[in-house]
Amino acid sequence: MRPVTDNLDFNERTASAIVSGRLRPGNDRLGVAVSGIVSHIHALVSELRPTRKEFREIVAFLTDVGHATEDHRQEWVLLFDVLGVSTLVETMNSARPAGATPNTLRGPFYRADAPTLSLGASISLDARGEPLTVHGRVTDLDGKPVAGAILEVWQPNADGIFENQQPDLQPEFNLRGKFVCDQDGGFIFRTIKPGGYSIPSDGPVGMLLQRLDYPLNRPAHLHFRIGAQGYQTLVTQIFDADDPFLTQDAILGVQRDLVGEFRKSGAGEWELAYSFVMAPARIQEQAS
Ligand code: BEZ
């Protein structure tokens, strides 16, 4: 049957069929996605029955999100992050076997060009904050060491600010570095205890969240990216178990397996012991 594309009978009941009928048919995922989005929006509009003024406000909000987006600020990504969409898509695309460390979003603060440092070195270039030693092992699912795994780490300072957010105040590459794990998959580096932070609250997304009393905080964490031949690259975050916002992460990134215990050592310094479990590369990754 030919799809209905004729608008003469456009009404609440026929709206979705008419718009979907106008989209290019076939297996094109874009057409399927646009058709799905349209029918969900039509259903929502039918349910909520917005006034003209409310509709203008929605359009104004989306316009503001667009205007707030620039090279160094991605307000659209922030919107998807806080609505849980980014983490949901990441979860679907990074399912790992039981026992493997879960993957999370990489986030906007990663730099691929951080320097390679010797095991035991400090990534804190300004020595501001409470000293922390991080150590552990990288293993496979059977607990065997992944010797030579490349571990990249990046984190915010004690005020919750990453080096690339504050290029004039923090030394370049502060609180980031690359390490090569030893024969036992072991790694150790020195740093400072990261601070938690709030996602940007001065843009349209932050303002909307504040109006709705939605959490804006990200609990304190360190980011890791771990790569090794024959394994799926692991991009993850390890969170401070004692952070008051642990269960209220603005971007819904915390999982139970990613919570680490920051303990005070005998010398009064902080210590975090955490080991990562890598999953074997998928067949197509091994081939490429
Ligand atoms: C972060 O603040 O580290 C972050 C933000 C959005 C997505 C992932 C991470």
Side-chain angles (χ1 to χ4, degrees):
M1 213 172 68
R2 274 166 60 96
V4 189
T5 59
D6 177 337
N7 43 253
L8 294 179
D9 290 316
F10 185 92
N11 58 40
E12 240 183 281
R13 201 174 41 77
T14 59
S16 293
I18 293 173
V19 177
S20 294
R22 290 181 174 194
L23 294 165
R24 198 153 27 99
N27 292 331
D28 187 340
R29 295 259 293 163
L30 180 64
V32 175
V34 174
S35 174
I37 291 168
V38 167
S39 62
H40 280 83
I41 292 176
H42 286 172
L44 185 64
V45 167
S46 288
E47 187 188 325
L48 290 180
R49 315 199 80 74
T51 62
R52 291 191 192 98
K53 178 170 174 287
E54 286 168 340
F55 182 55
R56 279 197 300 273
E57 282 172 6
I58 294 167
V59 174
F61 169 74
L62 296 174
T63 305
D64 289 347
V65 172
H67 285 159
T69 299
E70 52 185 14
D71 281 355
H72 295 290
R73 177 167 189 149
Q74 236 302 356
E75 198 78 0
W76 283 109
V77 173
L78 183 63
L79 182 60
F80 287 119
D81 288 350
V82 297
L83 296 181
V85 180
S86 312
T87 295
L88 194 56
V89 173
E90 182 55 35
T91 305
M92 288 170 182
N93 283 282
S94 63
R96 301 273 149 103
T101 306
N103 216 70
T104 67
L105 293 172
R106 190 178 72 182
F109 305 117
Y110 173 71
R111 285 182 66 172
D113 54 351
T116 300
L117 305 170
S118 315
L119 288 173
S122 178
I123 59 171
S124 169
L125 304 183
D126 58 5
R128 286 189 58 237
E130 297 178 70
L132 164 71
T133 299
V134 181
H135 61 93
R137 287 178 73 218
V138 178
T139 71
D140 69 8
L141 290 167
D142 299 322
K144 296 205 190 78
V146 180
I150 308 292
L151 178 144
E152 294 172 75
V153 58
W154 67 105
Q155 63 162 91
N157 68 9
D159 300 325
I161 309 174
F162 290 82
E163 156 260 1
N164 47 353
Q165 291 178 291
Q166 242 181 0
D168 299 333
L169 293 178
Q170 293 189 45
E172 187 170 26
F173 300 124
N174 193 31
L175 299 172
R176 55 180 83 228
K178 273 188 198 134
F179 296 90
V180 182
C181 295
D182 64 22
Q183 285 309 303
D184 198 31
F187 64 87
I188 181 165
F189 62 89
R190 293 175 55 73
T191 180
I192 55 100
K193 200 163 179 276
Y197 52 93
S198 161
I199 57 148
S201 57
D202 57 344
V205 173
M207 285 186 227
L208 174 77
L209 299 184
Q210 288 174 85
R211 183 169 153 187
L212 300 177
D213 208 13
Y214 192 94
L216 266 70
N217 291 88
R218 295 230 60 214
H221 60 274
L222 294 98
H223 289 259
F224 292 92
R225 182 179 190 277
I226 305 174
Q229 188 77 33
Y231 296 91
Q232 290 177 47
T233 299
L234 173 63
V235 176
T236 198
Q237 301 169 48
I238 304 305
F239 297 88
D240 179 353
D242 291 330
D243 192 292
F245 296 104
L246 192 69
T247 61
Q248 298 296 312
D249 182 9
I251 67 151
L252 305 113
V254 182
Q255 300 182 40
R256 283 193 176 75
D257 287 350
L258 299 179
V259 178
E261 305 281 344
F262 289 67
R263 297 184 197 284
K264 271 263 164 87
S265 67
E269 296 194 353
W270 291 99
E271 183 181 337
L272 170 66
Y274 192 93
S275 288
F276 298 92
V277 181
M278 307 279 279
R282 298 189 187 103
I283 304 297
Q284 67 270 32
E285 282 169 345
Q286 275 167 348
S288 65

